[in-house]
Amino acid sequence: MHIHTHDNRNPFYKNTKKTCEPHIMHKFESDFYGKELRLVVTCYIRPEANFDSLDALIKAIQDDIDFTDRVMDATPHKEQKNSSFFSASSRSGKK
């Protein structure tokens, strides 16, 4: 599953608080509200930016998605899929 996040203040919408917004690029058959979500940040895409229009923001998000699709199946990023961080034993505090 590929995810990219925006860790910023989202100046286009005039937000003042910094947030982390994961964009999960996967179709789920059911929701996962109330479930634990684990993410590993493996690379940096671009700095925070403001946009002149909603269309420019949408284009930047699509460019981020395209970049993520290309890079996440490459080394060293793809190795993270098998990390013990995602195992059930690490969630229960066991090693």
Side-chain angles (χ1 to χ4, degrees):
M1 169 182 351
H2 298 167
I3 301 171
H4 73 89
T5 65
H6 294 277
D7 181 16
N8 61 42
R9 290 177 180 79
N10 201 339
F12 182 78
Y13 289 107
K14 312 260 188 285
N15 293 350
T16 57
K17 292 183 180 178
K18 193 170 189 176
T19 61
C20 181
E21 304 169 3
H23 182 157
I24 303 170
M25 298 177 291
H26 181 80
K27 300 287 185 195
F28 292 91
E29 292 182 18
S30 61
D31 71 56
F32 50 90
Y33 287 98
K35 305 294 183 193
E36 181 176 314
L37 178 64
R38 290 181 166 219
L39 307 173
V40 173
V41 177
T42 63
C43 71
Y44 177 80
I45 298 176
R46 64 176 169 81
E48 179 179 77
N50 198 357
F51 300 94
D52 295 331
S53 68
L54 182 57
D55 287 338
L57 171 61
I58 291 169
K59 167 94 170 69
I61 292 170
Q62 186 59 54
D63 290 347
D64 294 346
I65 292 168
D66 294 343
F67 174 85
T68 302
D69 279 340
R70 285 191 311 274
V71 80
M72 290 311 296
D73 286 328
T75 301
H77 311 287
K78 67 181 178 180
E79 283 84 13
Q80 294 302 320
K81 292 177 184 177
N82 299 317
S83 170
S84 63
F85 177 74
F86 297 114
S87 72
S89 62
S90 74
R91 287 190 291 277
S92 66
K94 301 175 185 172
K95 301 263 178 182

Coordinates of all heavy atoms in Angstrom, one line a residue:
M1 N 0.8 -1.2 0.0 CA 0.0 0.0 0.0 C 0.9 1.2 0.0 O 1.9 1.3 0.7 CB -0.9 0.0 1.2 CG -1.6 1.2 1.5 SD -2.6 1.2 3.0 CE -2.7 -0.4 3.6
H2 N 0.6 2.2 -0.8 CA 1.4 3.4 -0.9 C 0.6 4.6 -0.2 O -0.6 4.7 -0.3 CB 1.6 3.8 -2.3 CG 2.4 2.8 -3.1 ND1 2.5 2.8 -4.4 CD2 3.2 1.7 -2.7 CE1 3.3 1.8 -4.8 NE2 3.7 1.1 -3.8
I3 N 1.4 5.3 0.6 CA 0.8 6.5 1.3 C 1.8 7.6 1.1 O 3.0 7.5 1.2 CB 0.7 6.2 2.8 CG1 -0.2 5.0 3.0 CG2 0.1 7.4 3.5 CD1 -0.3 4.5 4.4
H4 N 1.3 8.8 0.9 CA 2.1 10.0 1.0 C 1.4 10.9 2.0 O 0.2 10.9 2.1 CB 2.4 10.7 -0.4 CG 1.3 11.4 -1.0 ND1 1.0 12.7 -0.8 CD2 0.3 11.0 -1.9 CE1 0.0 13.1 -1.5 NE2 -0.5 12.1 -2.1
T5 N 2.2 11.7 2.7 CA 1.7 12.6 3.7 C 2.1 14.0 3.4 O 3.1 14.3 2.8 CB 2.1 12.3 5.1 OG1 3.5 12.5 5.2 CG2 1.8 10.8 5.5
H6 N 1.2 14.9 3.8 CA 1.5 16.3 3.8 C 1.6 16.8 5.3 O 0.7 16.7 6.0 CB 0.4 17.1 3.1 CG 0.2 16.8 1.7 ND1 1.0 17.4 0.7 CD2 -0.5 15.9 1.0 CE1 0.7 17.0 -0.4 NE2 -0.3 16.0 -0.3
D7 N 2.8 17.2 5.6 CA 3.1 17.7 7.0 C 3.3 19.2 6.9 O 4.4 19.6 6.6 CB 4.3 17.0 7.5 CG 4.7 17.4 8.9 OD1 3.8 17.9 9.6 OD2 5.8 17.1 9.3
N8 N 2.2 19.9 7.0 CA 2.3 21.4 6.8 C 1.1 22.1 7.4 O 0.3 21.5 8.0 CB 2.4 21.6 5.3 CG 1.2 21.1 4.5 OD1 0.1 21.2 4.9 ND2 1.4 20.5 3.3
R9 N 1.0 23.3 7.1 CA -0.1 24.2 7.5 C -1.1 24.4 6.4 O -2.1 25.1 6.7 CB 0.5 25.5 8.0 CG 1.2 25.4 9.3 CD 1.8 26.8 9.7 NE 2.6 26.7 10.9 CZ 3.8 26.2 11.0 NH1 4.4 25.8 10.0 NH2 4.4 26.1 12.2
N10 N -0.9 23.9 5.3 CA -1.8 24.0 4.1 C -2.2 25.5 3.9 O -3.4 25.9 4.1 CB -3.0 23.1 4.3 CG -3.7 22.8 3.0 OD1 -3.6 23.6 2.1 ND2 -4.5 21.8 3.0
P11 N -1.3 26.3 3.5 CA -1.5 27.7 3.3 C -2.6 28.1 2.3 O -3.3 29.1 2.4 CB -0.2 28.3 2.9 CG 0.6 27.1 2.3 CD 0.1 25.9 3.1
F12 N -2.9 27.2 1.4 CA -4.0 27.4 0.4 C -5.3 27.7 1.1 O -6.1 28.5 0.8 CB -4.1 26.3 -0.6 CG -5.2 26.6 -1.7 CD1 -5.0 27.4 -2.7 CD2 -6.4 26.0 -1.6 CE1 -5.9 27.7 -3.7 CE2 -7.4 26.2 -2.5 CZ -7.2 27.1 -3.6
Y13 N -5.5 26.9 2.2 CA -6.8 27.0 2.9 C -6.6 27.8 4.2 O -7.5 27.9 5.1 CB -7.3 25.6 3.3 CG -7.8 24.8 2.1 CD1 -7.1 23.8 1.6 CD2 -9.0 25.2 1.5 CE1 -7.5 23.1 0.5 CE2 -9.5 24.5 0.4 CZ -8.7 23.4 -0.1 OH -9.2 22.8 -1.2
K14 N -5.5 28.5 4.3 CA -5.2 29.5 5.4 C -5.2 28.8 6.8 O -5.6 29.4 7.8 CB -6.3 30.6 5.4 CG -6.5 31.2 4.0 CD -5.7 32.5 3.8 CE -6.1 33.3 2.5 NZ -5.5 32.7 1.3
N15 N -4.8 27.6 6.8 CA -4.7 26.9 8.1 C -3.5 27.5 8.9 O -2.5 27.8 8.3 CB -4.5 25.4 7.9 CG -5.7 24.7 7.3 OD1 -6.8 25.3 7.2 ND2 -5.5 23.5 6.9
T16 N -3.7 27.6 10.2 CA -2.6 28.1 11.0 C -1.9 27.0 11.8 O -0.8 27.1 12.2 CB -3.1 29.2 12.0 OG1 -4.1 28.6 12.8 CG2 -3.6 30.4 11.2
K17 N -2.6 25.9 12.1 CA -2.0 24.8 12.8 C -1.4 23.8 11.8 O -2.0 23.5 10.8 CB -3.1 24.0 13.6 CG -3.6 24.9 14.7 CD -4.6 24.1 15.6 CE -5.2 24.9 16.7 NZ -6.2 24.2 17.5
K18 N -0.2 23.3 12.2 CA 0.5 22.3 11.4 C -0.2 20.9 11.6 O -0.6 20.6 12.7 CB 1.9 22.2 11.8 CG 2.8 21.4 10.8 CD 4.3 21.6 11.2 CE 5.1 21.0 10.1 NZ 6.5 21.2 10.4
T19 N -0.4 20.2 10.5 CA -1.1 18.9 10.5 C -0.3 17.9 9.7 O 0.6 18.3 8.9 CB -2.5 19.0 9.9 OG1 -2.4 19.4 8.6 CG2 -3.4 19.9 10.7
C20 N -0.6 16.7 9.9 CA 0.0 15.6 9.1 C -1.2 14.9 8.5 O -2.0 14.3 9.2 CB 0.8 14.6 9.9 SG 1.5 13.3 9.0
E21 N -1.3 14.9 7.1 CA -2.4 14.4 6.4 C -2.0 13.2 5.5 O -1.4 13.4 4.5 CB -3.1 15.5 5.5 CG -3.5 16.7 6.2 CD -3.8 17.8 5.3 OE1 -3.8 17.6 4.0 OE2 -4.1 18.9 5.8
P22 N -2.2 12.0 6.0 CA -1.8 10.8 5.1 C -2.8 10.7 4.0 O -4.0 10.8 4.2 CB -1.8 9.6 6.1 CG -2.7 10.1 7.2 CD -2.6 11.6 7.3
H23 N -2.3 10.5 2.8 CA -3.1 10.2 1.6 C -2.9 8.7 1.3 O -1.8 8.3 0.8 CB -2.7 11.1 0.5 CG -3.5 10.9 -0.8 ND1 -3.6 11.8 -1.7 CD2 -4.3 9.8 -1.2 CE1 -4.4 11.4 -2.7 NE2 -4.8 10.2 -2.4
I24 N -3.8 7.9 1.7 CA -3.7 6.4 1.5 C -4.2 6.1 0.1 O -5.3 6.2 -0.2 CB -4.5 5.6 2.6 CG1 -4.0 6.1 4.0 CG2 -4.3 4.1 2.4 CD1 -4.8 5.6 5.1
M25 N -3.3 5.6 -0.7 CA -3.6 5.3 -2.1 C -3.9 3.8 -2.2 O -3.1 3.0 -2.8 CB -2.4 5.7 -3.0 CG -2.2 7.2 -2.9 SD -0.9 7.8 -3.9 CE 0.5 7.2 -3.0
H26 N -5.1 3.4 -1.7 CA -5.5 2.0 -1.7 C -7.0 2.0 -1.6 O -7.6 2.9 -0.9 CB -4.9 1.3 -0.5 CG -5.2 -0.2 -0.5 ND1 -4.6 -1.1 -1.2 CD2 -6.2 -0.8 0.3 CE1 -5.1 -2.3 -0.9 NE2 -6.1 -2.1 0.0
K27 N -7.7 1.1 -2.3 CA -9.1 1.0 -2.2 C -9.4 -0.1 -1.1 O -9.0 -1.2 -1.2 CB -9.8 0.5 -3.5 CG -9.6 1.5 -4.6 CD -10.4 2.8 -4.4 CE -10.2 3.7 -5.6 NZ -10.7 5.0 -5.4
F28 N -10.2 0.3 -0.1 CA -10.5 -0.6 1.0 C -12.0 -1.1 0.8 O -12.8 -0.3 0.4 CB -10.4 0.0 2.3 CG -9.0 0.3 2.7 CD1 -8.4 1.6 2.4 CD2 -8.2 -0.6 3.4 CE1 -7.1 1.9 2.7 CE2 -6.9 -0.3 3.7 CZ -6.4 0.9 3.4
E29 N -12.3 -2.4 1.2 CA -13.6 -2.9 1.1 C -14.5 -2.4 2.2 O -15.7 -2.4 2.1 CB -13.6 -4.4 1.0 CG -13.0 -4.9 -0.3 CD -13.0 -6.4 -0.3 OE1 -13.7 -7.1 0.4 OE2 -12.2 -7.0 -1.1
S30 N -13.9 -2.0 3.3 CA -14.6 -1.5 4.5 C -13.8 -0.4 5.2 O -12.6 -0.3 4.9 CB -15.0 -2.6 5.5 OG -13.8 -3.2 6.0
D31 N -14.4 0.4 6.1 CA -13.7 1.4 6.7 C -12.8 0.9 7.8 O -13.0 -0.3 8.2 CB -14.6 2.5 7.2 CG -15.5 2.1 8.4 OD1 -14.9 1.7 9.4 OD2 -16.7 2.2 8.4
F32 N -11.9 1.7 8.3 CA -11.0 1.3 9.4 C -11.0 2.3 10.5 O -10.1 2.5 11.2 CB -9.6 1.0 8.9 CG -9.0 2.0 8.1 CD1 -8.3 3.1 8.6 CD2 -9.2 2.0 6.7 CE1 -7.7 4.1 7.9 CE2 -8.6 3.0 5.9 CZ -7.9 4.0 6.5
Y33 N -12.1 3.0 10.7 CA -12.3 4.0 11.8 C -12.1 3.3 13.1 O -12.6 2.2 13.3 CB -13.6 4.7 11.7 CG -13.8 5.7 10.6 CD1 -14.4 5.3 9.4 CD2 -13.2 6.9 10.7 CE1 -14.5 6.2 8.3 CE2 -13.3 7.8 9.7 CZ -13.9 7.5 8.5 OH -14.0 8.4 7.5
G34 N -11.3 3.9 14.0 CA -11.0 3.4 15.3 C -9.9 2.4 15.3 O -9.6 1.9 16.4
K35 N -9.3 2.1 14.2 CA -8.2 1.1 14.1 C -6.9 1.8 14.2 O -6.8 3.0 13.9 CB -8.3 0.3 12.8 CG -9.6 -0.4 12.5 CD -9.8 -1.5 13.5 CE -11.1 -2.2 13.2 NZ -11.6 -3.1 14.2
E36 N -5.9 1.1 14.5 CA -4.5 1.7 14.6 C -4.0 1.8 13.2 O -4.1 0.8 12.4 CB -3.6 0.8 15.4 CG -2.2 1.3 15.5 CD -1.3 0.4 16.4 OE1 -1.8 0.0 17.5 OE2 -0.2 0.1 16.0
L37 N -3.3 2.9 12.9 CA -2.7 3.1 11.5 C -1.2 3.4 11.8 O -0.9 4.3 12.5 CB -3.4 4.3 10.8 CG -2.8 4.7 9.5 CD1 -3.0 3.6 8.5 CD2 -3.5 6.0 9.0
R38 N -0.4 2.6 11.2 CA 1.1 2.8 11.3 C 1.7 3.2 10.0 O 1.4 2.6 8.9 CB 1.7 1.5 11.8 CG 1.4 1.1 13.2 CD 2.1 -0.1 13.6 NE 2.0 -0.2 15.1 CZ 3.0 -0.7 15.8 NH1 4.1 -1.1 15.3 NH2 2.8 -0.7 17.1
L39 N 2.4 4.3 10.0 CA 3.1 4.8 8.8 C 4.6 4.9 9.1 O 5.0 5.2 10.2 CB 2.6 6.2 8.6 CG 1.1 6.4 8.5 CD1 0.7 7.9 8.3 CD2 0.5 5.7 7.3
V40 N 5.4 4.7 8.0 CA 6.8 4.9 8.1 C 7.1 6.0 7.0 O 6.8 5.8 5.8 CB 7.6 3.6 7.8 CG1 9.1 3.9 7.7 CG2 7.3 2.6 8.9
V41 N 7.8 7.0 7.4 CA 8.2 8.1 6.4 C 9.5 7.6 5.9 O 10.5 7.5 6.6 CB 8.3 9.4 7.1 CG1 8.8 10.5 6.1 CG2 6.9 9.8 7.7
T42 N 9.6 7.5 4.6 CA 10.9 7.0 4.0 C 11.6 8.0 3.1 O 12.7 7.8 2.7 CB 10.6 5.7 3.1 OG1 9.7 6.0 2.1 CG2 10.0 4.6 4.0
C43 N 10.9 9.1 2.7 CA 11.6 10.1 1.9 C 10.8 11.4 1.9 O 9.7 11.5 2.4 CB 11.7 9.6 0.4 SG 10.2 9.5 -0.5
Y44 N 11.4 12.4 1.4 CA 10.9 13.8 1.4 C 10.5 14.1 -0.1 O 11.3 13.8 -1.0 CB 12.0 14.7 1.9 CG 11.6 16.2 1.8 CD1 10.8 16.7 2.8 CD2 12.1 17.0 0.8 CE1 10.5 18.1 2.8 CE2 11.7 18.4 0.8 CZ 10.9 18.9 1.8 OH 10.6 20.2 1.7
I45 N 9.3 14.6 -0.3 CA 8.9 14.9 -1.7 C 9.2 16.4 -2.1 O 9.9 16.7 -3.0 CB 7.4 14.6 -1.9 CG1 7.2 13.1 -1.7 CG2 7.0 15.0 -3.3 CD1 5.8 12.6 -1.8
R46 N 8.6 17.3 -1.3 CA 8.8 18.7 -1.6 C 8.4 19.6 -0.4 O 7.8 19.1 0.5 CB 7.8 19.1 -2.8 CG 6.4 18.9 -2.5 CD 5.5 19.4 -3.6 NE 4.1 19.1 -3.4 CZ 3.2 19.7 -2.7 NH1 3.6 20.8 -2.0 NH2 2.0 19.3 -2.6
P47 N 8.9 20.8 -0.5 CA 8.5 21.7 0.7 C 7.1 22.2 0.6 O 6.4 22.0 -0.4 CB 9.5 22.9 0.4 CG 9.7 22.9 -1.0 CD 9.7 21.5 -1.5
E48 N 6.6 22.7 1.7 CA 5.3 23.3 1.8 C 5.2 24.4 0.7 O 6.1 25.1 0.4 CB 5.1 23.9 3.2 CG 3.7 24.5 3.4 CD 3.6 25.1 4.8 OE1 4.2 26.1 5.1 OE2 2.9 24.4 5.6
A49 N 4.0 24.5 0.1 CA 3.8 25.5 -0.9 C 2.4 26.1 -0.9 O 1.5 25.4 -0.4 CB 4.0 24.9 -2.3
N50 N 2.3 27.3 -1.3 CA 0.9 27.9 -1.5 C 0.6 27.8 -3.0 O 1.5 27.8 -3.8 CB 0.9 29.3 -1.0 CG -0.5 29.8 -0.7 OD1 -1.5 29.1 -1.0 ND2 -0.7 31.0 -0.3
F51 N -0.6 27.8 -3.3 CA -1.0 27.6 -4.7 C -2.0 28.8 -5.1 O -2.8 29.3 -4.3 CB -1.7 26.3 -5.0 CG -0.8 25.1 -4.6 CD1 -0.8 24.6 -3.4 CD2 0.1 24.7 -5.6 CE1 0.1 23.5 -3.0 CE2 1.0 23.7 -5.3 CZ 1.0 23.1 -4.0
D52 N -1.9 29.2 -6.4 CA -2.7 30.3 -6.9 C -4.1 29.9 -7.1 O -5.0 30.7 -7.2 CB -2.1 30.8 -8.2 CG -0.7 31.4 -8.0 OD1 -0.5 31.9 -6.9 OD2 0.1 31.4 -9.0
S53 N -4.4 28.5 -7.2 CA -5.7 28.1 -7.5 C -5.9 26.7 -7.0 O -4.9 26.0 -6.7 CB -6.0 28.1 -9.1 OG -5.2 27.1 -9.7
L54 N -7.2 26.3 -6.9 CA -7.5 24.9 -6.5 C -6.9 23.9 -7.5 O -6.4 22.8 -7.2 CB -9.0 24.7 -6.3 CG -9.5 23.3 -5.8 CD1 -8.8 22.9 -4.5 CD2 -11.0 23.3 -5.7
D55 N -7.0 24.3 -8.8 CA -6.5 23.4 -9.9 C -5.0 23.2 -9.7 O -4.5 22.0 -9.9 CB -6.8 24.0 -11.3 CG -8.3 23.9 -11.6 OD1 -9.0 23.0 -11.1 OD2 -8.7 24.6 -12.5
A56 N -4.3 24.2 -9.3 CA -2.8 24.1 -9.1 C -2.5 23.1 -7.9 O -1.6 22.3 -8.0 CB -2.2 25.4 -8.9
L57 N -3.3 23.3 -6.9 CA -3.2 22.4 -5.7 C -3.5 20.9 -6.1 O -2.7 20.0 -5.8 CB -4.1 22.8 -4.6 CG -4.3 21.9 -3.4 CD1 -2.9 21.7 -2.7 CD2 -5.3 22.4 -2.4
I58 N -4.6 20.7 -6.8 CA -4.9 19.4 -7.3 C -3.8 18.8 -8.2 O -3.4 17.6 -8.0 CB -6.3 19.4 -8.0 CG1 -7.4 19.7 -7.0 CG2 -6.5 18.1 -8.8 CD1 -8.7 20.0 -7.6
K59 N -3.2 19.6 -9.0 CA -2.1 19.1 -9.9 C -0.9 18.7 -9.1 O -0.3 17.7 -9.3 CB -1.7 20.2 -10.9 CG -0.4 20.0 -11.6 CD -0.6 19.4 -13.0 CE 0.6 19.3 -13.8 NZ 1.7 18.5 -13.4
A60 N -0.6 19.5 -8.0 CA 0.6 19.2 -7.2 C 0.3 17.9 -6.4 O 1.2 17.1 -6.3 CB 0.8 20.3 -6.2
I61 N -0.9 17.7 -5.9 CA -1.3 16.5 -5.2 C -1.1 15.3 -6.2 O -0.6 14.2 -5.8 CB -2.7 16.5 -4.6 CG1 -2.7 17.5 -3.5 CG2 -3.1 15.1 -4.1 CD1 -4.1 17.9 -2.9
Q62 N -1.6 15.4 -7.4 CA -1.5 14.3 -8.4 C 0.0 14.0 -8.7 O 0.4 12.9 -8.8 CB -2.2 14.6 -9.7 CG -2.3 13.5 -10.7 CD -2.9 12.2 -10.1 OE1 -4.0 12.2 -9.6 NE2 -2.2 11.1 -10.1
D63 N 0.8 15.1 -8.8 CA 2.2 14.9 -9.0 C 2.9 14.1 -7.8 O 3.7 13.3 -8.0 CB 3.0 16.2 -9.2 CG 2.6 16.9 -10.5 OD1 2.0 16.3 -11.4 OD2 2.9 18.1 -10.7
D64 N 2.4 14.5 -6.6 CA 2.9 13.7 -5.4 C 2.5 12.3 -5.5 O 3.3 11.4 -5.2 CB 2.4 14.4 -4.2 CG 2.8 15.8 -3.9 OD1 3.8 16.2 -4.5 OD2 2.2 16.4 -3.0
I65 N 1.3 12.0 -5.9 CA 0.8 10.6 -6.0 C 1.7 9.9 -7.1 O 2.1 8.7 -6.8 CB -0.7 10.6 -6.4 CG1 -1.5 11.1 -5.2 CG2 -1.1 9.2 -6.8 CD1 -3.0 11.4 -5.6
D66 N 1.9 10.5 -8.2 CA 2.7 9.8 -9.3 C 4.1 9.6 -8.8 O 4.7 8.5 -9.0 CB 2.7 10.7 -10.5 CG 1.4 10.9 -11.2 OD1 0.5 10.1 -10.9 OD2 1.2 11.8 -12.0
F67 N 4.7 10.5 -8.1 CA 6.1 10.3 -7.5 C 6.1 9.2 -6.6 O 6.9 8.3 -6.6 CB 6.5 11.6 -6.8 CG 7.8 11.5 -6.1 CD1 9.0 11.6 -6.8 CD2 7.9 11.2 -4.8 CE1 10.3 11.5 -6.2 CE2 9.1 11.0 -4.1 CZ 10.3 11.2 -4.8
T68 N 5.1 9.2 -5.6 CA 5.0 8.1 -4.6 C 4.9 6.7 -5.3 O 5.5 5.8 -4.9 CB 3.8 8.4 -3.7 OG1 4.1 9.7 -3.1 CG2 3.8 7.3 -2.6
D69 N 4.0 6.6 -6.3 CA 3.9 5.3 -7.0 C 5.2 4.9 -7.6 O 5.5 3.7 -7.5 CB 2.8 5.5 -8.1 CG 1.4 5.3 -7.5 OD1 1.2 4.8 -6.4 OD2 0.5 5.8 -8.2
R70 N 5.9 5.8 -8.1 CA 7.2 5.4 -8.8 C 8.3 5.0 -7.7 O 8.9 4.0 -7.8 CB 7.8 6.5 -9.6 CG 7.1 6.8 -10.9 CD 7.9 7.7 -11.8 NE 8.3 8.9 -11.1 CZ 7.6 10.0 -11.0 NH1 6.3 10.1 -11.5 NH2 8.0 11.1 -10.4
V71 N 8.4 5.8 -6.7 CA 9.5 5.6 -5.7 C 9.2 4.5 -4.7 O 10.2 3.8 -4.3 CB 9.9 6.9 -5.0 CG1 8.9 7.3 -3.9 CG2 11.3 7.0 -4.6
M72 N 8.0 4.2 -4.3 CA 7.8 3.3 -3.2 C 8.0 1.8 -3.6 O 8.1 1.0 -2.7 CB 6.3 3.5 -2.7 CG 6.1 4.7 -1.9 SD 7.4 5.1 -0.7 CE 7.2 3.7 0.5
D73 N 8.1 1.5 -4.9 CA 8.4 0.2 -5.3 C 9.9 0.0 -5.5 O 10.3 -1.1 -6.0 CB 7.6 -0.2 -6.5 CG 6.1 -0.5 -6.2 OD1 5.8 -1.0 -5.1 OD2 5.3 -0.2 -7.0
A74 N 10.7 1.0 -5.2 CA 12.1 0.9 -5.4 C 12.8 0.8 -4.1 O 12.3 1.1 -3.0 CB 12.6 2.2 -6.1
T75 N 14.0 0.3 -4.1 CA 14.9 0.2 -3.0 C 15.3 1.6 -2.6 O 15.5 2.4 -3.5 CB 16.1 -0.7 -3.3 OG1 15.7 -1.9 -3.7 CG2 17.1 -0.8 -2.1
P76 N 15.4 2.0 -1.3 CA 15.2 1.2 -0.1 C 13.8 1.2 0.4 O 13.5 0.6 1.4 CB 16.1 1.9 0.9 CG 16.0 3.3 0.5 CD 15.9 3.3 -1.0
H77 N 12.9 1.9 -0.2 CA 11.5 2.1 0.3 C 10.7 0.8 0.4 O 10.0 0.5 1.3 CB 10.8 3.1 -0.5 CG 11.6 4.3 -0.7 ND1 11.8 5.2 0.3 CD2 12.2 4.8 -1.8 CE1 12.5 6.2 -0.2 NE2 12.8 6.0 -1.4
K78 N 10.9 -0.1 -0.6 CA 10.1 -1.3 -0.7 C 10.4 -2.3 0.5 O 9.5 -3.0 0.9 CB 10.2 -2.0 -2.0 CG 11.5 -2.6 -2.3 CD 11.5 -3.3 -3.7 CE 12.9 -3.8 -4.0 NZ 12.9 -4.4 -5.3
E79 N 11.6 -2.2 1.1 CA 11.9 -3.0 2.2 C 11.1 -2.7 3.4 O 10.9 -3.6 4.3 CB 13.4 -2.9 2.5 CG 14.3 -3.7 1.6 CD 14.7 -2.9 0.3 OE1 14.4 -1.7 0.3 OE2 15.2 -3.5 -0.6
Q80 N 10.6 -1.5 3.5 CA 9.8 -1.2 4.7 C 8.5 -2.0 4.8 O 8.0 -2.1 5.9 CB 9.5 0.3 4.7 CG 10.7 1.2 4.8 CD 11.4 1.0 6.1 OE1 10.9 0.8 7.1 NE2 12.7 1.0 6.0
K81 N 8.0 -2.5 3.7 CA 6.8 -3.3 3.7 C 6.9 -4.5 4.7 O 5.9 -4.9 5.3 CB 6.4 -3.8 2.3 CG 6.0 -2.7 1.4 CD 5.7 -3.3 0.0 CE 5.4 -2.2 -1.0 NZ 5.2 -2.7 -2.3
N82 N 8.1 -5.1 4.8 CA 8.3 -6.2 5.7 C 8.9 -5.9 7.0 O 9.3 -6.8 7.7 CB 9.2 -7.2 4.9 CG 8.6 -7.7 3.6 OD1 7.4 -8.0 3.6 ND2 9.4 -7.7 2.6
S83 N 8.9 -4.7 7.4 CA 9.4 -4.2 8.7 C 8.7 -4.8 9.9 O 7.4 -5.0 9.8 CB 9.4 -2.7 8.8 OG 9.7 -2.3 10.1
S84 N 9.4 -5.2 10.9 CA 8.7 -5.7 12.1 C 7.8 -4.7 12.8 O 7.0 -5.0 13.5 CB 9.8 -6.2 13.1 OG 10.6 -5.1 13.5
F85 N 8.0 -3.4 12.4 CA 7.2 -2.3 12.9 C 5.7 -2.6 12.6 O 4.8 -2.2 13.4 CB 7.6 -1.0 12.3 CG 6.8 0.2 12.7 CD1 6.9 0.7 14.0 CD2 5.9 0.8 11.8 CE1 6.1 1.8 14.3 CE2 5.2 1.9 12.1 CZ 5.3 2.4 13.4
F86 N 5.4 -3.3 11.5 CA 4.1 -3.6 11.1 C 3.5 -4.9 11.6 O 2.4 -5.2 11.3 CB 4.0 -3.5 9.6 CG 4.3 -2.1 9.0 CD1 5.4 -2.0 8.2 CD2 3.5 -1.1 9.3 CE1 5.7 -0.7 7.7 CE2 3.8 0.2 8.8 CZ 4.9 0.4 8.0
S87 N 4.3 -5.7 12.3 CA 3.9 -7.0 12.8 C 3.0 -6.9 14.0 O 3.0 -5.9 14.8 CB 5.0 -7.9 13.1 OG 5.7 -7.4 14.3
A88 N 2.1 -7.8 14.2 CA 1.2 -7.9 15.3 C 2.0 -7.9 16.6 O 1.6 -7.3 17.6 CB 0.3 -9.1 15.2
S89 N 3.1 -8.6 16.7 CA 3.9 -8.7 17.9 C 4.4 -7.3 18.3 O 4.5 -7.0 19.5 CB 5.0 -9.7 17.8 OG 5.9 -9.3 16.8
S90 N 4.8 -6.4 17.4 CA 5.3 -5.1 17.8 C 4.2 -4.2 18.3 O 4.4 -3.4 19.1 CB 6.0 -4.4 16.6 OG 5.1 -4.0 15.7
R91 N 2.9 -4.5 17.9 CA 1.8 -3.7 18.5 C 1.5 -4.1 19.9 O 1.0 -3.3 20.7 CB 0.6 -3.9 17.6 CG 0.7 -3.2 16.2 CD -0.6 -3.2 15.5 NE -1.0 -4.4 15.0 CZ -0.6 -5.0 13.9 NH1 0.3 -4.4 13.1 NH2 -1.0 -6.2 13.5
S92 N 1.8 -5.3 20.3 CA 1.5 -5.8 21.6 C 2.6 -5.5 22.6 O 2.5 -5.9 23.7 CB 1.1 -7.3 21.6 OG 2.3 -8.0 21.3
G93 N 3.7 -4.9 22.1 CA 4.8 -4.6 22.9 C 5.9 -5.7 22.9 O 6.9 -5.6 23.6
K94 N 5.6 -6.8 22.2 CA 6.6 -7.9 22.2 C 7.6 -7.6 21.1 O 7.3 -6.9 20.1 CB 5.9 -9.2 21.9 CG 4.9 -9.6 22.9 CD 4.1 -10.8 22.5 CE 3.0 -11.1 23.5 NZ 2.2 -12.2 23.0
K95 N 8.8 -8.2 21.2 CA 9.8 -8.0 20.2 C 10.0 -9.3 19.5 O 9.9 -10.4 19.9 CB 11.1 -7.6 20.8 CG 11.0 -6.3 21.5 CD 11.5 -5.2 20.6 CE 11.3 -3.9 21.4 NZ 11.5 -2.7 20.8

